[in-house]
Amino acid sequence: MQKLQKYVPAVTENEPKNLKKTSQTRLENSLCVVGFEEGETQRHHVEMAKDLVGPDKRLQMKSVVVTSPDSQVNIPPSKVLLMFVDYNERNLILEEAEDGIRRRTLDVLMKSGAEVIVVYCWELSSKNLEEGYLYAPKLGSVSKVPRLIELSRKNSVYSIYKQFKQHQKSAYQRKLKELQEFIK
């Protein structure tokens, strides 16, 4: 098995300023819960993340809410980034428009050099998610959107209803074990 190597990519002058801040900073031993709504919604996301992480204390937990492209500069340089996206009627994890806030935020996260995991929550069919599935098979965008395809291949896309299933928690723990050289 090949060891996973992580690096912080070089940034060119043509990239957005918010990306420069994230990628030029050394990544810290933390896990950041990235959400898009302040208040009770983000508190729920943090609680869901705590449930996923369990007793593992190697990573300090942080939280940030992205409400505009300007607020992306507030994303800390964490080694693990959990991007929570709430259910919508069209079951779109990322907006179709290239300039959508979730899509742009995911781009920033993926270019940061961190381990990125997307969590689509409040998705009803995930309530009965079968063993072996990290996300609901009916989420067609996971197999159509290049960014999500890439993350899915790395077992980094999850869908949940109110909480993670035990097999999803186990998959997350296996991922951390693979990253043990990265997360010290």
Side-chain angles (χ1 to χ4, degrees):
M1 177 185 245
Q2 182 180 356
K3 280 192 176 177
L4 184 61
Q5 299 282 325
K6 288 287 182 176
Y7 67 95
V8 178
V11 178
T12 65
E13 290 304 312
N14 297 332
E15 290 181 312
K17 288 179 185 173
N18 55 353
L19 177 59
K20 286 183 182 184
K21 179 183 184 286
T22 304
S23 60
Q24 286 182 336
T25 308
R26 186 170 181 257
L27 297 178
E28 58 191 34
N29 258 2
S30 63
L31 176 148
C32 183
V33 176
V34 180
F36 300 93
E37 278 189 52
E38 296 188 32
E40 193 65 27
T41 300
Q42 186 67 358
R43 282 191 288 282
H44 281 301
H45 294 163
V46 170
E47 289 306 312
M48 290 173 183
K50 286 179 182 176
D51 179 50
L52 176 66
V53 173
D56 190 333
K57 300 292 183 206
R58 288 180 290 175
L59 298 169
Q60 176 189 3
M61 190 166 295
K62 298 185 174 199
S63 173
V64 67
V65 175
V66 176
T67 55
S68 70
D70 290 340
S71 64
Q72 291 171 339
V73 298
N74 298 323
I75 299 170
S78 298
K79 287 185 177 179
V80 178
L81 298 162
L82 292 177
M83 185 175 112
F84 279 80
V85 176
D86 290 324
Y87 170 83
N88 58 76
E89 288 191 19
R90 293 182 62 202
N91 267 336
L92 294 177
I93 297 172
L94 300 177
E95 306 91 344
E96 291 174 347
E98 284 294 321
D99 63 346
I101 190 68
R102 295 188 310 261
R103 187 176 290 260
R104 290 177 69 179
T105 300
L106 183 58
D107 287 344
V108 169
L109 300 181
M110 290 179 75
K111 290 178 182 174
S112 71
E115 186 66 30
V116 178
I117 299 171
V118 173
V119 181
Y120 184 58
C121 49
W122 310 114
E123 198 284 317
L124 191 58
S125 72
S126 296
K127 190 179 199 179
N128 301 312
L129 197 63
E130 293 180 25
E131 179 83 29
Y133 289 94
L134 296 179
Y135 59 89
K138 76 177 209 172
L139 296 175
S141 65
V142 177
S143 62
K144 293 179 181 146
V145 177
R147 295 164 184 92
L148 295 176
I149 292 169
E150 180 182 342
L151 290 172
S152 173
R153 287 183 180 142
K154 295 173 21 179
N155 292 326
S156 295
V157 177
Y158 294 74
S159 70
I160 63 174
Y161 181 57
K162 290 184 179 178
Q163 60 190 26
F164 288 91
K165 299 286 187 185
Q166 187 56 49
H167 68 273
Q168 291 173 312
K169 294 177 189 179
S170 296
Y172 172 79
Q173 291 302 325
R174 283 191 303 275
K175 178 175 282 298
L176 280 191
K177 194 169 187 167
E178 290 172 10
L179 298 170
Q180 64 187 351
E181 291 299 315
F182 180 52
I183 301 169
K184 293 183 178 184

